[in-house]
Amino acid sequence: LFQLQKGFRAVGLDAEGVGGMIFHLQKSLSGMSEMGESTIGVFAALGLNMYALRQSDAPAQLQTISAAMSHLSRAQAAGFAEKLFGREGAANFIQIANSMPEFSAAMKRSAEQGALMERNAEAFRKIEMSINQIKSKGQSLFAGIAEGAAPAIQTLLDMLNKIDLSGLGRQIGNIFS
């Protein structure tokens, strides 16, 4: 995922689109498109073995599909991309396919950093969970403080609301005059 996000950014795409695009691809590799149509024929028309493609990781799948579509016209490629990646993912895939050298290079450059993230993913997940728990406890602390201080704050606000400040306002206005 980390490497795919880097690849997306390298070709001018929003990295937030990676998850949806990969979801559509995985669904297509199950043999069914988002519209409920069979994708077996789409992979066959591209000269790809859907079952063999399932054995690859997502970056390799994208590269393989891109290579298979490279000989198609833009219209044909767009049609196949929509069947495999859905409406939103099709445009992203076409962008990736048209910029495959940059996409691949960015993923290759980020491989070491991606491996580091993968090795530490569990530790980072635990840290994030701990930070979220601390935030929750902090919110409870401040809610408790507010609960205790609320009566005093309300009393102060009630006292301020009883004061007629129009006289003071007139005096300030006279100073400016």
Side-chain angles (χ1 to χ4, degrees), residues 55-70:
Q55 305 307 313
S56 300
D57 61 10
Q61 291 167 346
L62 292 174
Q63 290 172 327
T64 301
I65 295 169
S66 174
M69 286 192 192
S70 65

